[in-house]
Amino acid sequence: MKKTFNLVGKPVIRQDGYSKVTGKARFADDINYPDQLFGVMVRLPIAHARIKKIDFSEIENHPSVITICTAGDISGSNISGIIKQDQPVFCDQKIVTPGDVVAMLVGEDEELLRQLAGKVKYEIEPLPALTDPRKALDSDAVLIHPESKSNLIVHYPLRKGDIERGFSQSDHIVEQTYTTQLIEHGYIEPETVIAIPLAADRSVKIIGSIQNPFTARRIVAQALDLPLTRVRVEQAELGGSFGGKDDTMDILSARAAVAALKTGRPVKIRYRREESVLESYKRHPYILHYKVGFSREGKIKAMKIDILADGGAYASMSPFVTWRSVAQATGPYEVENVCTDVRAVYTNNPYTGAMRGFGSPQPIFAQESIMDEIANQLGKTPDEIRWINCLHSGSITATGQKLEKHDVNLIKVLDTAVQKTNFSRQWQACKDKNKSILPFIQKTHASQADKSLLLESEDLVAPDLLLRKGIGLALSYRGCSLGAEGIDAAAAYLSVQPDGSLYLVSGLAENGQGMRTTFSIIAAETLGLSVEDIHYLELDTGIVPDSGPTVASRSTLMGGGAVKIAAEIVRDRLQKFLCDFWKLNKQDVLCFEKNKVFSESDPQKTLRFSEVCQLAYRKGVCLAAIGWYPGPKVDWDESVGQGAAYFTYVYGCQVAEVTVNLGTGEVYVDRVVAVHDPGKVINLLGAQGQVYGGVTQGAGYGLWEEISSADGFIRELNFDQIFIPTSKDVGEIVPVFVEGDDQHGPWGAKSLGEPTLELTAAAIANAVRNAVGVRFFNLPLNLEEIVLKRKLKPGGLKRGSAV
Amino acid sequence: MIPKIEYFSPVNLTELLKLLDRHQQAAKIIAGGTDIIAGFHQGSARFKGIKYLIDLNWIDELKKVELSSDGIVIGSAASFSEILKNELINHHFPLLSTAASRVGSVQIRNRATIGGNFVNNAPCADSVPALLVYDAEIRIRSVEAERAVSLADFLLKPYQTQLRSDEVVTQIRLPFLSENYLGDFYKLGRRRGVAISRITLAVLMKLVESKIDDIRIASGAVTPIGKRFVSLEQFARGKTVSDHLYRELARMLGNEILDATGLRWSSAYKLPVVQQTFYQQLQHIYQTGNLR
Amino acid sequence: MTIELNFTINEKKITLKTEPNRRLLDILRQELNLTGTKEGCAIGECGACTVVMNGKAVNSCLVLAPQINGAEILTVEGLEKDQRLHFLQENFLKHGAVQCGFCTPGMLMSAYALLSKNPNPTEAEVKEAIAGNLCRCTGYKQIIDAILETEGDIK
């Protein structure tokens, strides 16, 4: 273990920063080919129907339509899917959600094609739309994918201990149901991809806003029936993803590739915002039922959890998203008796898949709300109740895994957060002050939709009583990387040049999070260089091994591990070479620091790194290496949900302070103190940025964001109605890092991106409870939820906020 | 997308009026473009069939803000940024300045015009309640004639006004108020930054020895279009201010809005909240004594 | 209908012919290959297409091409001079104000417009100035810090 660092843990300026502040960075839509064509989608305005006939006669001879691509043009498999194969590249049998695409018009004039797309005629047999996930498993429910025999995408049971005995040993039982909403990723860059036919080697090149180039390659190769090597996917600069530019982009890549090979010309697809929101997948809405038994001292004895996730029209990542939920649904607590069932079902709603958090924000909202309810019931403070139950070193998790071989810093992050915010005192003070529930709120919460919702003059509340302060916390543990849900290994390629500068690239993707810089720091630290010596290459599936997807906050841990290994391979070769050159003992350790290499025992023996490389190069030393970082073994028994789900964990605690306006339902987040153990911080600037960004997204999830749909049709298609936070909407955010030791990852560095987001909504909800004296069960805690304790939905689908 | 159009940039009113006269329904006036260009993109029915766009931006007299003998005259193509920084407006009609500050973002305020805001007549137009309580009168020109009409009469129903296809709104005239008016403008959105209004309320009140000598109340986003509550105002005039009166007025406002609007999907939220908000606003005006 | 446009962009005089139904954003990205300015929503809500026109921040997706006749326009490409970054750009780097970078050009232009009128803004003024620029990555904090540090250094 290295004690002091030259770069690691310090604020380092992004490597790609220069190109991004000058407008020179090339995002997918900034790339054009002179003879490129555009692809424009044809959709049918229905959520569920059998397709009988698509009639292009009115447009197929139009001079601007160069070709029309449909399922018939797919030489390989038209059915794609990362886990379960159920999503057509082009629909030809059924429409199962309004985002579905039946054909793509290809031509030079994109705008004209958009108009022509509306002239495609069709015959369909409408089918009943299934939009309520609670009805998906009814015996008379219409089947979304009849070949699956059921609308059940996946069911994960978890059984630990004896749930009935656990409840019988409990002094108290709480039973509550929580719901969370559908939300959009809200990346500012809409989806764009270009496919370029490479006639000479009968292959196709794809450049796009693609989160996972290797997955895109697999889907494209499968659709075109080509060997993987004939599909090269290059990632353009990516304008935000948050888990959202995977499945959609894979299918878009396949459509573009089909058209490119068909026409022999480059084909670009670029989505407008409305199309992006319509077709792309979202975060799962969950219905979460928790029954928790506990002793009068506050010790949890049993948890029975039932979770239903709306997977929408396609399976997408539902099997993995809900798997994380089942593993983590109890929260970071020691519970002897657990019985959890998580199900994901098909509906005709927009499909749901990966989004930052990935099956954790939903159960955390429910479980952390319930922890506070238990505290309230027992007259304890929220931190006390967590203290009594929380995981520590040697604890057994709900999946039967013993937490060991790393710092289990849960109590440490909790204590740090509590101290930094003077939590217990503040919480108690707010609770006492906010004890009375305003008559106004009592009345509006009890109201039904008729004239009685008008207030009488005595209901009106003096202005100074309306603003309420509250404080709340939420705690989590999070399994790092993919866990038992997937194959877990990553690669990095590092090539030192004879002048001492070096190329670096990993098979993971820069999605804006700052991965290139983090990896460059790791390589530079290992070789004693500065970040400027490293040139990070653009990711292309042709130049580096498949490293799995850039998801699950695994980049620093897995890819960073691979970079460190690659750098160490080269360093070891240089060390060996220099020991020979300087005639030192093989055991002598050389220091690589400040662009120099020197012997600790003999300070005379010093060379600049560039000189060493020059010498080694001339002597035929291989200065390039591939680092391969395989994830340690995990195991899982799917029938009972038991096993070592993840090889290591990170821990976090966020405290939110809010002001609630009871007269309007506005919640303002005054401050969030976010305490996280990410293992080791590599780039302080980047780590802080993850916290600011994650907390802000979490606040949006907690308070404003919601995609509502009626009959499967989305109402909010653009940023005039999708309320992601602006610069004015969230108060102070205070990142605090409690670093823990771990044998995995570069110097113990693990995960941070998702932990920062998953806690915020839950912490805010607990702060609101503290402020209002009422528990809210349904996200988002928007204006109507606070004032009425229910959601209001417009009847029609018209845009804009009319009355 | 923006349809194929012919674009005109008249530099004076005469040219403009001739163009309007010639093209009638096929023409649409563009000023800031913040509604119309976004509307084209979204395929809004309100902007279908347009062949000609006539731009007001090149006509300087439509952008001026000037003093007149009895008030100020605002050119219809003055942007919200210009209104926001205008000292005359800020001094004499501060509720309009506040309303302007709550329109969209900086980028939107730099383009969007005050005339466009009410000619478009969306229920949530932020400037409308402020203009209504100031008794705004607008001037409308066509080749044949000039007419003056109160803004309250000009607005007919959502997205509809009295404006004929050969006419243009040239000016907004705000008459000076006598001294001693107190007032407040309130906007509620779903978030703090850049939000469509859920509720807007503008209130002006003149007290003489604790009696309401004059009161003007207007709302936006809670009624189908921005609206003055005349009978409520009449009820209040001459009454002595008290917490009791404020409560009574707030209660009555809820009834008036319900009568004007009927039950909507949002009524369960908006009615109690607008009552509570209005009550607070009256308290606030009385306690802080904000001028106008 | 084809029209001729004369305007200045990043201190360069430009004359070009185009159709009147195009937007300033299209002129920048398609005619002039100034692709630093981004399209995110096309309805003036996200601010990714923000440029400075006659000293004011505007959404270039809501400006009709013929409306730029005679205008002076500054885009993100015009900030760097003689291969030296503008202070604002340097502070964006220093504070970690950039993540994915898609909102960055628009954000820089809103900040530039603010600082040219108001060299010493308060934090509230900075937040107001960039409220029309959505960023999904950063939570705005480091952007606000970068703008605040640039105060007084605008020219």
Side-chain angles (χ1 to χ4, degrees):
Chain A
M1 182 85 190
K2 193 165 173 177
K3 292 264 183 319
T4 57
F5 293 101
N6 291 312
L7 290 167
V8 167
K10 301 191 165 60
V12 176
I13 289 175
R14 288 182 75 97
Q15 283 210 311
D16 51 20
Y18 170 78
S19 71
K20 288 176 175 177
V21 297
T22 53
K24 291 172 183 164
R26 305 246 288 165
F27 294 84
D29 196 26
D30 303 338
I31 299 165
N32 290 296
Y33 285 78
D35 55 343
Q36 78 190 12
L37 300 171
F38 289 96
V40 167
M41 305 305 146
V42 178
R43 297 189 181 83
L44 309 184
I46 190 151
H48 199 192
R50 213 177 306 285
I51 301 168
K52 297 173 85 174
K53 192 180 169 196
I54 308 285
D55 175 5
F56 299 103
S57 57
E58 198 162 316
I59 60 161
E60 62 194 349
N61 295 322
H62 193 287
S64 293
V65 178
I66 289 182
T67 191
I68 300 172
C69 294
T70 63
D73 294 302
I74 309 277
S75 47
S77 168
N78 184 39
I79 306 297
S80 83
I82 299 174
I83 302 170
K84 222 173 163 174
Q85 307 274 302
D86 62 2
Q87 186 169 12
V89 176
F90 292 110
C91 295
D92 58 345
Q93 309 287 322
K94 271 181 80 175
I95 297 294
V96 292
T97 196
D100 277 347
V101 169
V102 295
M104 181 169 80
L105 310 186
V106 182
E108 284 174 1
D109 187 339
E110 190 187 14
E111 288 303 333
L112 186 61
L113 292 178
R114 286 188 195 281
Q115 292 170 25
L116 294 175
K119 296 191 172 168
V120 174
K121 292 187 187 136
Y122 52 88
E123 281 174 38
I124 52 171
E125 177 194 336
L127 296 167
L130 171 65
T131 55
D132 183 350
R134 287 166 301 191
K135 295 181 181 156
L137 299 179
D138 290 356
S139 56
D140 59 346
V142 62
L143 290 181
I144 311 297
H145 297 284
E147 64 282 8
S148 302
K149 309 279 190 267
S150 156
N151 288 327
L152 185 68
I153 297 173
V154 74
H155 169 208
Y156 294 116
L158 182 152
R159 303 289 180 265
K160 181 192 176 198
D162 180 340
I163 191 73
E164 290 314 321
R165 200 184 60 205
F167 283 123
S168 67
Q169 290 171 348
S170 302
D171 299 312
H172 307 277
I173 289 173
V174 298
E175 204 170 346
Q176 294 177 333
T177 302
Y178 290 82
T179 67
T180 67
Q181 77 282 29
L182 187 75
I183 75 162
E184 161 67 26
H185 298 81
Y187 32 78
I188 311 299
E189 176 204 35
E191 293 80 355
T192 299
V193 66
I194 313 164
I196 305 110
L198 303 174
D201 52 355
R202 287 176 298 151
S203 64
V204 63
K205 183 175 176 181
I206 311 274
I207 307 174
S209 54
I210 297 168
Q211 179 183 335
N212 294 318
F214 289 97
T215 320
R217 180 181 67 157
R218 175 157 62 84
I219 302 291
V220 172
Q222 194 182 302
L224 299 176
D225 197 22
L226 284 177
L228 292 173
T229 47
R230 293 271 175 79
V231 180
R232 268 180 84 153
V233 180
E234 189 183 313
Q235 190 197 29
E237 202 65 64
L238 193 73
S241 179
F242 317 108
K245 284 175 178 163
D246 196 358
D247 314 46
T248 319
M249 285 313 305
D250 304 337
I251 288 182
L252 278 189
S253 300
R255 291 180 194 147
V258 166
L261 292 188
K262 193 175 176 188
T263 59
R265 290 169 68 176
V267 174
K268 184 188 247 191
I269 302 171
R270 48 178 187 181
Y271 273 0
R272 309 197 315 183
R273 176 62 53 189
E274 289 83 359
E275 240 179 331
S276 163
V277 175
L278 176 66
E279 186 176 330
S280 71
Y281 54 95
K282 315 264 176 276
R283 180 183 288 158
H284 292 72
Y286 273 30
I287 299 166
L288 311 105
H289 186 80
Y290 275 67
K291 181 177 170 186
V292 183
F294 51 99
S295 71
R296 62 179 66 87
E297 293 78 28
K299 178 76 190 148
I300 295 171
K301 297 288 185 185
M303 270 201 189
K304 186 167 186 335
I305 303 166
D306 246 297
I307 293 175
L308 182 65
D310 184 354
Y314 298 109
S316 178
M317 279 289 169
S318 285
F320 289 175
V321 169
T322 50
W323 186 81
R324 183 173 285 277
S325 305
V326 80
Q328 297 180 176
T330 58
Y333 306 109
E334 279 189 319
V335 189
E336 235 174 277
N337 307 294
V338 185
C339 173
T340 305
D341 288 278
V342 182
R343 290 177 180 83
V345 294
Y346 286 123
T347 62
N348 294 113
N349 291 324
Y351 75 114
T352 47
M355 181 172 176
R356 191 178 187 177
F358 203 80
S360 73
Q362 302 97 328
I364 289 175
F365 165 62
Q367 134 246 319
E368 287 302 272
S369 295
I370 287 174
M371 291 305 282
D372 270 28
E373 288 312 296
I374 295 172
N376 271 306
Q377 195 173 328
L378 296 177
K380 295 186 184 298
T381 58
D383 49 320
E384 265 180 283
I385 201 74
R386 286 169 176 82
W387 244 99
I388 294 168
N389 292 289
C390 76
L391 297 166
H392 47 78
S393 188
S395 288
I396 308 292
T397 67
T399 72
Q401 180 176 11
K402 188 173 179 187
L403 292 178
E404 55 186 354
K405 294 179 186 157
H406 69 279
D407 288 340
V408 181
N409 268 339
L410 194 65
I411 291 173
K412 206 167 160 189
V413 298
L414 173 63
D415 284 351
T416 306
V418 164
Q419 281 159 20
K420 288 221 177 278
T421 54
N422 195 9
F423 181 83
S424 327
R425 260 175 89 180
Q426 272 211 72
W427 186 84
Q428 196 61 52
C430 290
K431 188 186 173 188
D432 295 343
K433 202 171 163 214
N434 301 328
K435 213 175 266 166
S436 68
I437 297 166
L438 289 179
F440 163 74
I441 282 293
Q442 281 178 341
K443 190 160 179 175
T444 51
H445 281 191
S447 76
Q448 297 299 319
D450 62 21
K451 205 167 172 160
S452 68
L453 42 84
L454 279 172
L455 299 177
E456 294 304 323
S457 52
E458 65 272 17
D459 299 327
L460 297 164
V461 179
D464 54 334
L465 296 176
L466 283 171
L467 292 184
R468 294 271 189 97
K469 296 262 181 202
I471 185 168
L473 66 75
L475 193 64
S476 76
Y477 78 136
R478 183 179 183 92
C480 296
S481 199
L482 303 174
E485 69 187 86
I487 309 151
D488 209 356
Y493 169 71
L494 181 145
S495 174
V496 180
Q497 306 305 303
D499 66 352
S501 65
L502 64 92
Y503 289 121
L504 178 64
V505 68
S506 123
L508 296 172
E510 172 66 61
N511 297 334
Q513 77 277 45
M515 184 201 74
R516 293 175 187 133
T517 314
T518 298
F519 287 4
S520 298
I521 292 170
I522 292 167
E525 184 75 46
T526 308
L527 292 168
L529 304 175
S530 62
V531 173
E532 291 72 36
D533 297 317
I534 293 165
H535 183 86
Y536 201 97
L537 294 170
E538 284 168 11
L539 174 57
D540 174 328
T541 53
I543 60 170
V544 62
D546 184 347
S547 301
T550 305
V551 298
S553 306
R554 70 191 277 269
S555 301
T556 303
L557 169 60
M558 302 297 297
V563 170
K564 186 157 173 276
I565 289 168
E568 283 167 351
I569 291 171
V570 172
R571 193 185 61 189
D572 289 350
R573 286 188 198 140
L574 289 173
Q575 150 122 11
K576 188 162 171 286
F577 164 75
L578 277 179
C579 283
D580 285 348
F581 183 76
W582 279 331
K583 301 190 170 50
L584 298 169
N585 281 325
K586 294 261 182 286
Q587 291 77 23
D588 271 0
V589 177
L590 299 183
C591 289
F592 288 70
E593 265 181 52
K594 297 182 177 156
N595 290 66
K596 288 197 182 95
V597 187
F598 56 93
S599 160
E600 263 183 340
S601 53
D602 181 359
Q604 297 289 59
K605 301 226 172 347
T606 299
L607 279 173
R608 294 151 72 89
F609 184 77
S610 54
E611 292 166 335
V612 177
C613 294
Q614 187 64 242
L615 286 168
Y617 171 72
R618 287 192 184 153
K619 295 287 180 191
V621 177
C622 172
L623 297 179
I626 286 181
W628 183 251
Y629 192 89
K633 198 176 160 301
V634 282
D635 66 86
W636 188 248
D637 177 350
E638 195 153 303
S639 63
V640 288
Q642 293 292 292
Y646 297 94
F647 60 80
T648 191
Y649 291 82
V650 290
Y651 305 92
C653 181
Q654 291 185 358
V655 175
E657 294 167 42
V658 303
T659 304
V660 183
N661 183 336
L662 289 174
T664 57
E666 292 164 285
V667 178
Y668 186 73
V669 181
D670 298 305
R671 186 163 87 127
V672 174
V673 174
V675 185
H676 291 277
D677 169 11
K680 178 92 199 133
V681 170
I682 303 290
N683 182 1
L684 184 61
L685 215 47
Q688 288 168 336
Q690 285 300 308
V691 177
Y692 296 131
V695 167
T696 304
Q697 275 189 22
Y701 181 51
L703 296 175
W704 306 291
E705 293 173 38
E706 178 164 27
I707 296 290
S708 65
S709 60
D711 301 329
F713 287 85
I714 293 174
R715 180 170 172 269
E716 302 83 1
L717 290 174
N718 206 330
F719 288 127
D720 54 341
Q721 297 187 314
I722 299 171
F723 297 106
I724 69 173
T726 72
S727 55
K728 289 168 74 179
D729 292 306
V730 182
E732 190 189 3
I733 299 166
V734 184
V736 181
F737 299 114
V738 174
E739 296 186 328
D741 216 353
D742 201 304
Q743 57 183 322
H744 304 297
W747 301 288
K750 297 185 278 190
S751 307
L752 183 61
E754 290 169 285
T756 60
L757 171 132
E758 66 187 12
L759 287 162
T760 315
I764 289 172
N766 280 338
V768 169
R769 163 71 165 93
N770 187 229
V772 185
V774 174
R775 169 62 60 189
F776 296 93
F777 298 94
N778 308 298
L779 289 185
L781 307 187
N782 61 13
L783 303 178
E784 290 88 350
E785 180 66 25
I786 300 292
V787 172
L788 299 172
K789 234 189 158 189
R790 58 193 158 100
K791 302 280 187 282
L792 297 180
K793 293 280 155 59
L797 280 170
K798 66 183 174 189
R799 298 181 56 92
S801 164
V803 182
Chain B
M1 68 163 288
I2 305 172
K4 293 225 180 301
I5 40 120
E6 213 168 314
Y7 168 88
F8 297 103
S9 46
V11 293
N12 57 48
L13 260 181
T14 319
E15 257 184 69
L16 166 69
L17 295 172
K18 275 190 201 152
L19 285 165
L20 284 173
D21 192 54
R22 192 185 316 148
H23 297 300
Q24 300 275 344
Q25 279 92 347
K28 185 88 186 168
I29 290 170
I30 183 169
T34 53
D35 277 316
I36 197 168
I37 298 179
F40 280 141
H41 175 82
Q42 296 178 329
S44 165
R46 291 187 289 132
F47 305 120
K48 287 266 184 324
I50 293 171
K51 293 202 174 70
Y52 308 98
L53 281 179
I54 305 174
D55 194 344
L56 299 189
N57 278 295
W58 310 96
I59 306 173
D60 288 340
E61 64 173 291
L62 294 182
K63 298 189 160 197
K64 284 185 193 150
V65 180
E66 290 171 322
L67 268 179
S68 71
S69 56
D70 58 347
I72 65 166
V73 180
I74 304 172
S76 61
S79 74
F80 281 111
S81 292
E82 283 153 7
I83 285 169
L84 192 49
K85 69 172 190 216
N86 186 285
E87 291 298 327
L88 281 175
I89 295 175
N90 205 5
H91 182 251
H92 294 285
F93 304 96
L95 301 192
L96 180 59
S97 302
T98 310
S101 77
R102 304 299 308 274
V103 172
S105 59
V106 170
Q107 293 96 314
I108 295 294
R109 294 196 290 271
N110 281 340
R111 299 291 296 170
T113 63
I114 186 160
N117 202 222
F118 63 77
V119 168
N120 185 41
N121 200 17
C124 52
D126 287 323
S127 66
V128 167
L131 291 173
L132 287 174
V133 294
Y134 286 128
D135 284 334
E137 180 196 274
I138 58 175
R139 293 290 165 93
I140 300 170
R141 287 277 299 269
S142 65
V143 170
E144 280 110 45
E146 177 173 29
R147 62 186 177 119
V149 54
S150 78
L151 178 65
D153 291 338
F154 178 73
L155 305 175
L156 299 178
K157 43 187 185 173
Y159 305 104
Q160 277 185 39
T161 66
Q162 281 192 10
L163 196 70
R164 298 195 315 255
S165 56
D166 64 334
E167 288 181 323
V168 62
V169 175
T170 54
Q171 294 177 347
I172 297 97
R173 289 174 167 257
L174 302 179
F176 288 133
L177 294 167
S178 61
E179 295 298 309
N180 306 328
Y181 269 88
L182 310 173
D184 189 50
F185 176 86
Y186 174 81
K187 168 171 169 169
L188 174 70
R190 284 202 177 272
R191 57 176 185 200
R192 290 195 172 187
V194 194
I196 300 167
S197 305
R198 300 285 293 150
I199 294 173
T200 46
L201 282 171
V203 181
L204 277 178
M205 186 159 69
K206 184 182 178 187
L207 298 178
V208 176
E209 291 166 2
S210 289
K211 277 201 169 58
I212 296 180
D213 184 57
D214 185 22
I215 187 166
R216 304 172 189 182
I217 306 158
S219 73
V222 289
T223 40
I225 57 170
K227 179 180 159 57
R228 277 279 288 270
F229 295 91
V230 179
S231 57
L232 191 64
E233 293 172 4
Q234 270 166 5
F235 171 85
R237 280 194 195 105
K239 299 229 166 29
T240 304
V241 293
S242 68
D243 182 59
H244 177 77
L245 179 68
Y246 292 153
R247 285 173 183 273
E248 187 56 16
L249 291 175
R251 187 191 66 76
M252 290 170 69
L253 180 71
N255 282 306
E256 288 222 8
I257 290 172
L258 181 60
D259 288 345
T261 312
L263 273 181
R264 302 285 175 99
W265 67 271
S266 56
S267 302
Y269 170 79
K270 283 188 175 177
L271 285 175
V273 171
V274 79
Q275 287 180 306
Q276 174 64 37
T277 309
F278 181 54
Y279 168 62
Q280 257 169 276
Q281 205 175 14
L282 293 171
Q283 289 266 12
H284 176 75
I285 292 168
Y286 182 68
Q287 279 161 17
T288 61
N290 276 349
L291 276 179
R292 296 178 201 93
Chain C
M1 180 186 185
T2 305
I3 50 164
E4 187 180 283
L5 299 180
N6 292 288
F7 56 99
T8 306
I9 193 135
N10 301 333
E11 297 177 358
K12 217 171 106 188
K13 288 208 183 309
I14 303 276
T15 299
L16 59 81
K17 286 194 163 53
T18 186
E19 301 286 315
N21 65 344
R22 306 188 68 196
R23 308 164 298 172
L24 170 53
L25 178 60
D26 304 325
I27 301 296
L28 295 174
R29 290 184 58 84
Q30 292 164 19
E31 301 295 326
L32 303 172
N33 202 27
L34 293 170
T35 56
T37 305
K38 307 299 180 197
E39 176 160 4
C41 72
I43 58 166
E45 291 286 341
C46 80
C49 68
T50 303
V51 300
V52 178
M53 179 168 152
N54 297 330
K56 290 177 182 166
V58 300
N59 292 309
S60 62
C61 74
L62 295 183
V63 176
L64 212 55
Q67 295 184 312
I68 65 171
N69 243 331
E72 276 188 35
I73 291 159
L74 182 70
T75 71
V76 68
E77 288 90 349
L79 289 180
E80 188 187 22
K81 289 212 178 104
D82 306 324
Q83 296 185 320
R84 276 200 49 205
L85 290 181
H86 191 277
F87 289 117
L88 195 53
Q89 293 169 307
E90 285 191 353
N91 286 328
F92 264 56
L93 294 180
K94 179 177 149 194
H95 286 273
V98 179
Q99 287 191 31
C100 86
F102 198 78
C103 76
T104 306
M107 203 63 89
L108 283 164
M109 300 326 287
S110 281
Y112 184 93
L114 167 74
L115 293 171
S116 12
K117 292 256 157 63
N118 178 2
N120 296 293
T122 62
E123 187 174 328
E125 286 168 336
V126 170
K127 286 183 174 181
E128 180 64 39
I130 60 167
N133 295 77
L134 295 176
C135 170
R136 191 61 156 169
C137 297
T138 66
Y140 306 100
K141 161 76 175 148
Q142 289 154 312
I143 295 172
I144 295 163
D145 289 347
I147 298 171
L148 283 171
E149 189 176 325
T150 317
E151 57 170 300
D153 285 341
I154 184 70
K155 290 300 167 191

